[in-house]
Amino acid sequence: MAAGKEFMVYNSLTRQKEIFRPIEPGKVRMYVCGITAYDLSHLGHGRAAVNFDVLFRYLKHLGYEVTYVRNFTDVDDKIIIRANKNGEDPFSLSSRFCKEYLKDMGDLQCLLPTHQPYVSDHIEHIKDLITQIINKEYAYQVGGDVFFAVDKFPNYGQLSGQKLEHNRAGERVAVDSRKRNPADFALWKSAKPGEPSWESPWGLGRPGWHIECSAMSAHYLTFKFDIHGGGIDLIFPHHENEIAQSCAACQESSVSYWMHNGHVTNNNEKMSKSLNNFFTIREITEKYHPLALRHFLISAHYRSPLNYTIAQLESSSDAIYYIYQTLQDCEDALAPFREEGLKEGADQNGRTVKITPTAQECISKLKNEFESKMCDDLNTAQILTGAFQDALKFINSSLNGLKKKQQKQKQLSMVQSLTDVKKAVTDDVLDVLGLKSPHTYSEVLQQLKVKALERAGMMESDVLKKIEERKQARENKDFAMSDQIRADLTRKGIALMDVGKETIWRPCVREEPIEEEQKELPTEEEHKVLPVEQKEEQKQLPSEEEHKALPVKAKEQPASA
């Protein structure tokens, strides 16, 4: 463990932070619920993927060998409904949106999981699991359907705190009179005309939603593994049902840590397709660099709600530009010394070059603060401030000193100091957070400038023309016009900077009032006719504080995937 610190994670099951201890020393097995592939992914999907990608990266940073599984649901009511509406084969539709999801995740620099299973490829595993559950008398068959009997599982509700008597019929799903208990859920659904289906001991049909994750997590990770993750909206009923069915199939089934990320909100309302107030990742990255979006997504603690605003994206975009401009300036300043043959840590004669005490203190603070925050349940919200900003300031202030004439050995010490601080910034922080781009610094800066021009509704030639007009105004001593041109561009997110006799431009936070993007919400009458599964999305889950206050079941009871 880095710097002797214990990695603490918040366990949704016990409602407290716990020291992370994997089942098998040195190895971590992790399952995260993926998307139902019937549309482009929205910011909620992006937040879950980015947050668990940070966890994946940090576990690897700590030296663990990680097996990371994230599934694709390619068999589901929503997929079938959308495919029928489009006159498209359901598997063609889901395959297309799985590919689009992977493109979005690639843009957001999410590492590929170890395994990305599709439900349709694991039907046999799902049927075997259902058979085990039936044989142990936790499920029953009605016609061609198979339902899980929640009354048979005494610990039902241990994750969410939901009690069976609170699940009044008809509140979450349409009442099925064939169920023994309204809260019973489908493990297998009988086939309907025109829907994908498979042969089974119960007749033609397809899996229920919840059973897929239990089957696939058991297949790739066994019934006992370390981490199960997903959005907070999955706690109930999805993850609660996973626990019930997995424990019913295998008494030893357990997940050590349940981790859930908070909602993304828009105007403090949960983003959801049913409310039509969501934004797709693609919509955002058309205007903002994916690094800016990733920065925004980790700007709040993963368990807290994250409120989407244009102002926040502007701020994240500006922060990324500042980081990469600092790294580019450092790279430019160090280039001549590298050309002279300076080796890392030694001069041309092989003598050791020590970094300055200030640089050493800067690196130590940066590493200690990074590990402290990350070990505290991945507190990314506070990592890109404090010591990280101090490291960037050190680089910028040292660049000026490097240009001054000074003793050779002192100059080499400054070069090595800059090299080491820059490495700590990029390799010890940005890389683990997924903010280190595979592109060069100059390429990223140019990409950010292109996005800024798009938001301003301008071409670079327009900006250069304005720079020339301002130059002419200054020559004519028309300073009011000069200031006006500069102010007009700043309001559009274009900052002019006078460097010597030259004027350059860079993106900045727009000063003009930013009209927040909103989408029209459904009326009360429209909401009444929403499909059942969409109404279900709108049930408010407990807040973080409310969740902590829920009763905790006996800790010795196993909790499964």
Side-chain angles (χ1 to χ4, degrees):
M1 186 63 63
K5 296 180 176 66
E6 299 278 15
F7 181 28
M8 304 288 292
V9 298
Y10 182 85
N11 189 343
S12 299
L13 182 68
T14 60
R15 298 169 183 83
Q16 63 185 8
K17 288 182 186 177
E18 299 175 358
I19 297 173
F20 178 74
R21 301 196 194 284
I23 296 168
E24 184 178 354
K27 295 184 178 182
V28 176
R29 288 172 289 172
M30 176 170 75
Y31 186 94
V32 175
C33 291
I35 62 162
T36 300
Y38 70 101
D39 204 345
L40 290 173
S41 299
H42 56 66
L43 281 184
H45 298 136
R47 188 181 194 197
V50 167
N51 287 155
F52 286 103
D53 179 66
V54 170
L55 174 60
F56 182 33
R57 288 170 178 267
Y58 189 58
L59 288 169
K60 292 171 69 174
H61 170 75
L62 293 176
Y64 290 111
E65 179 186 328
V66 187
T67 301
Y68 175 19
V69 182
R70 185 183 65 206
N71 74 297
F72 282 118
T73 297
D74 62 344
V75 182
D76 184 80
D77 290 341
K78 295 176 183 179
I79 296 170
I80 295 167
I81 291 168
R82 180 64 59 86
N84 289 340
K85 183 179 178 180
N86 293 355
E88 187 176 1
D89 175 72
F91 291 112
S92 173
L93 177 101
S94 60
S95 176
R96 177 159 53 86
F97 284 117
C98 286
K99 291 175 183 175
E100 296 292 353
Y101 173 81
L102 290 175
K103 181 185 183 306
D104 286 337
M105 294 309 105
D107 288 344
L108 289 175
Q109 297 196 167
C110 292
L111 301 174
L112 286 175
T114 316
H115 304 286
Q116 296 190 96
Y118 292 74
V119 173
S120 60
D121 291 333
H122 292 272
I123 300 299
E124 293 304 315
H125 297 118
I126 291 170
K127 289 191 291 185
D128 289 345
L129 187 62
I130 294 173
T131 299
Q132 292 177 56
I133 296 170
I134 292 174
N135 290 343
K136 294 186 178 180
E137 300 183 347
Y138 282 91
Y140 56 94
Q141 183 179 350
V142 180
D145 296 307
V146 179
F147 294 104
F148 185 91
V150 294
D151 290 329
K152 294 275 190 175
F153 190 70
N155 292 318
Y156 190 80
Q158 63 181 295
L159 179 65
S160 63
Q162 295 272 1
K163 296 182 182 297
L164 283 179
E165 57 267 28
H166 293 166
N167 295 328
R168 293 185 291 272
E171 283 199 346
R172 294 188 63 85
V173 295
V175 178
D176 188 334
S177 59
R178 301 173 304 156
K179 294 180 180 180
R180 296 175 185 173
N181 184 314
D184 292 351
F185 56 91
L187 301 177
W188 188 261
K189 297 181 177 182
S190 58
K192 295 178 182 177
E195 290 187 353
S197 59
W198 290 265
E199 290 285 355
S200 80
W202 321 286
L204 275 176
R206 57 187 173 88
W209 176 34
H210 312 295
I211 193 67
E212 63 185 57
C213 289
S214 288
M216 290 188 286
S217 61
H219 175 70
Y220 289 97
L221 305 174
T222 76
F223 276 102
K224 295 184 72 171
F225 58 95
D226 302 294
I227 298 171
H228 195 314
I232 193 172
D233 54 324
L234 297 179
I235 290 178
F236 188 87
H238 186 53
H239 288 164
E240 194 70 75
N241 291 349
E242 280 190 60
I243 291 174
Q245 63 203 7
S246 292
C247 289
C250 176
Q251 191 174 6
E252 288 74 36
S253 174
S254 70
V255 169
S256 301
Y257 307 92
W258 286 86
M259 299 179 69
H260 295 91
N261 65 274
H263 294 309
V264 178
T265 60
N266 181 9
N267 197 26
N268 296 313
E269 287 263 358
K270 178 201 165 187
M271 275 195 186
S272 71
K273 292 180 179 178
S274 60
L275 288 175
N276 196 34
N277 69 341
F278 69 95
F279 293 92
T280 66
I281 295 168
R282 203 70 54 86
E283 285 176 311
I284 303 300
T285 54
E286 283 177 0
K287 296 180 180 179
Y288 293 89
H289 197 287
L291 282 175
L293 178 52
R294 185 175 178 110
H295 183 282
F296 165 68
L297 291 171
I298 64 173
S299 64
H301 190 278
Y302 78 90
R303 287 190 286 114
S304 301
L306 176 64
N307 195 39
Y308 167 81
T309 67
I310 297 298
Q312 279 284 84
L313 276 173
E314 291 272 333
S315 178
S316 287
S317 183
D318 197 57
I320 291 294
Y321 193 91
Y322 172 63
I323 292 169
Y324 273 79
Q325 186 63 68
T326 299
L327 295 174
Q328 179 63 60
D329 292 344
C330 185
E331 188 77 7
D332 291 342
L334 294 176
F337 296 92
R338 293 203 181 106
E339 291 171 4
E340 291 178 9
L342 178 68
K343 296 179 181 179
E344 188 170 325
D347 63 17
Q348 291 170 315
N349 299 318
R351 291 176 298 185
T352 301
V353 176
K354 294 183 179 180
I355 66 174
T356 66
T358 304
Q360 185 59 63
E361 183 182 7
C362 180
I363 293 170
S364 295
K365 283 185 176 180
L366 177 62
K367 290 185 175 183
N368 286 336
E369 188 170 297
F370 176 73
E371 295 298 344
S372 295
K373 300 302 181 186
M374 290 297 281
C375 280
D376 184 17
D377 194 31
L378 301 176
N379 193 357
T380 59
Q382 297 181 20
I383 286 173
L384 296 178
T385 58
F388 181 80
Q389 291 297 318
D390 290 342
L392 296 179
K393 289 175 185 175
F394 172 85
I395 292 173
N396 283 315
S397 62
S398 299
L399 293 178
N400 294 326
L402 193 59
K403 298 173 185 176
K404 298 177 182 178
K405 289 185 178 180
Q406 53 189 313
Q407 182 187 20
K408 187 67 174 178
Q409 198 65 17
K410 189 175 181 181
Q411 188 180 51
L412 291 179
S413 178
M414 182 57 70
V415 168
Q416 192 61 51
S417 297
L418 280 166
T419 300
D420 289 2
V421 172
K422 176 174 170 286
K423 184 177 180 181
V425 166
T426 56
D427 295 356
D428 294 334
V429 179
L430 295 182
D431 189 39
V432 178
L433 296 179
L435 293 173
K436 181 180 176 183
S437 175
H439 299 286
T440 65
Y441 305 139
S442 60
E443 286 171 339
V444 173
L445 290 170
Q446 183 57 33
Q447 291 163 3
L448 286 160
K449 292 178 81 171
V450 169
K451 295 291 185 184
L453 289 170
E454 290 174 355
R455 294 194 297 274
M458 303 178 73
M459 298 179 66
E460 187 161 28
S461 58
D462 299 326
V463 177
L464 297 178
K465 183 179 178 182
K466 289 293 182 182
I467 290 175
E468 191 57 38
E469 288 175 6
R470 178 172 174 268
K471 178 182 177 183
Q472 192 63 51
R474 296 177 78 184
E475 288 176 357
N476 295 336
K477 300 192 182 300
D478 188 351
F479 299 115
M481 176 60 74
S482 170
D483 291 344
Q484 186 64 51
I485 291 171
R486 187 173 193 166
D488 289 345
L489 288 173
T490 300
R491 279 193 290 272
K492 292 179 179 291
I494 305 294
L496 299 186
M497 304 174 70
D498 295 319
V499 182
K501 295 182 179 180
E502 183 184 7
T503 300
I504 62 174
W505 75 273
R506 56 149 289 177
C508 67
V509 174
R510 288 181 283 176
E511 290 187 359
E512 62 184 7
I514 301 170
E515 185 176 337
E516 296 294 343
E517 297 181 35
Q518 299 292 337
K519 294 194 176 183
E520 189 175 344
L521 301 181
T523 65
E524 186 175 344
E525 288 304 311
E526 290 171 331
H527 181 263
K528 288 178 182 177
V529 298
L530 286 172
V532 171
E533 70 273 6
Q534 291 188 349
K535 289 181 182 178
E536 182 177 336
E537 288 183 27
Q538 298 185 50
K539 182 178 175 73
Q540 289 295 314
L541 285 161
S543 67
E544 184 178 337
E545 289 305 313
E546 291 170 333
H547 184 254
K548 287 179 182 176
L550 290 172
V552 182
K553 297 291 181 182
K555 291 184 182 178
E556 65 270 15
Q557 294 297 335
S560 166

